[in-house]
């Protein structure tokens, strides 16, 4: 199949927080989502302070194209967990290297959004930001035991 080329331009960048993508303990990490002031004015974030959480789409810019995985593997290389396909996990070496994460919005200061719990490092290009709305989340969900084990110390 052939698809049209999609070009995404970052809307901003992560400032502060971690400088290396360590797998666990993201819950207390504070960083700033600095939006591009050449493209956006303060009106772009009007009303955002009314939300407690954001959904952030970003690019795993530190993952080289050569490290992208498209087949099944053991998450984090843990042989105790089953081999699962890339689309059955949230690893950073995805085909398009896109990350999606929910984080707490602590403050809005012009085009700087102070957040806590975003699992993206300083310098990460931000592709989109959406307010978290609970109606978009499933009422009930299920996941395998290995996923709960993997996430136990993540946040």
């Amino acid at each position: 199949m052939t698809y049209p080329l999609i070009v995404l331009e970052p809307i901003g960048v992560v400032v502060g927080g971690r400088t290396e993508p360590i797998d666990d303990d993201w819950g207390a990490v504070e960083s700033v989502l600095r939006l591009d002031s050449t493209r956006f004015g303060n009106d772009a974030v009007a009303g955002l302070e009314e939300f407690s959480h954001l959904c952030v789409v970003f690019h795993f810019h530190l993952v080289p194209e050569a490290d992208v995985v498209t087949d099944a593997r053991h998450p984090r290389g843990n042989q105790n967990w089953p081999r699962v396909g890339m689309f059955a996990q949230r690893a950073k070496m995805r085909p398009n290297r896109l990350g999606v994460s929910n984080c707490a919005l602590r403050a809005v200061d012009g085009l700087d959004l102070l957040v806590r719990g975003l699992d993206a490092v300083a310098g990460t290009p931000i592709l989109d930001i959406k307010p978290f709305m609970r109606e978009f989340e499933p009422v009930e969900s299920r996941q395998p035991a290995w996923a709960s084990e993997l996430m136990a110390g993540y946040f």
Side-chain angles (χ1 to χ4, degrees):
M1 293 185 130
T2 304
Y3 299 101
L5 177 65
I6 298 171
V7 178
L8 299 176
E9 184 177 347
I11 62 167
V13 67
V14 175
V15 176
R18 288 190 181 168
T19 57
E20 295 183 35
I22 302 165
D23 279 333
D24 290 314
D25 301 317
W26 287 97
V29 174
E30 291 198 347
S31 55
V32 172
L33 307 179
R34 180 156 295 150
L35 301 183
D36 183 349
S37 62
T38 64
R39 293 180 56 202
F40 307 104
N42 290 352
D43 279 356
V45 295
L48 196 58
E49 73 281 352
E50 297 294 320
F51 292 89
S52 66
H53 289 76
L54 302 175
C55 179
V56 181
V57 181
F58 54 92
H59 185 250
F60 288 120
H61 69 294
L62 298 179
V63 177
E65 184 74 32
D67 290 352
V68 167
V69 175
T70 58
D71 54 359
R73 69 178 193 60
H74 296 280
R76 292 193 186 174
N78 186 333
Q79 300 293 316
N80 294 321
W81 295 333
R83 282 177 33 95
V84 294
M86 185 51 62
F87 299 124
Q89 51 189 294
R90 294 184 64 132
K92 60 186 167 279
M93 61 286 257
R94 318 184 62 70
N96 284 320
R97 295 173 289 165
L98 293 180
V100 177
S101 186
N102 294 325
C103 59
L105 176 61
R106 311 289 288 159
V108 176
D109 181 15
L111 294 177
D112 283 354
L113 312 177
L114 176 63
V115 298
R116 177 179 287 158
L118 177 68
D119 55 346
V121 298
T124 297
I126 303 162
L127 301 175
D128 203 359
I129 297 169
K130 298 181 180 200
F132 179 88
M133 296 180 185
R134 63 180 157 263
E135 289 81 5
F136 280 102
E137 299 304 309
V139 176
E140 292 184 32
S141 66
R142 63 181 163 80
Q143 66 186 33
W146 68 263
S148 296
E149 291 173 23
L150 182 145
M151 295 304 295
Y154 197 79
F155 290 105

